Amino acid sequence: MDEVWREVLPTDLEKDPILLLRTEALYANYQAVAQEAITHMNEMILQNQEMYLEID
């Protein structure tokens, strides 16, 4: 049987505790990965400042 996709609404999280748990887990993972990426980019820029323009 084919699943039918539909738009997800914020209220769906209130109605579906499993969806809420999965969404919270995904968001927590996203936050950690995003912070690591930002930290890595900052380190790369600091180590290679000559490659970047400084705007005052």
Side-chain angles (χ1 to χ4, degrees):
M1 183 163 79
D2 291 333
E3 289 187 40
V4 176
W5 288 85
R6 66 173 182 80
E7 184 177 344
V8 178
L9 303 171
T11 54
D12 290 342
L13 296 174
E14 297 168 4
K15 298 174 187 171
D16 188 340
I18 294 173
L19 179 61
L20 178 60
L21 286 174
R22 289 181 179 173
T23 303
E24 288 174 338
L26 284 171
Y27 185 63
N29 189 46
Y30 160 77
Q31 287 181 306
V33 171
Q35 187 57 53
E36 288 177 23
I38 291 168
T39 299
H40 180 71
M41 287 185 278
N42 287 339
E43 289 171 358
M44 293 299 296
I45 291 169
L46 288 173
Q47 292 173 6
N48 300 287
Q49 291 182 30
E50 70 281 355
M51 294 176 59
Y52 300 91
L53 296 174
E54 184 175 338
I55 300 174
D56 290 325

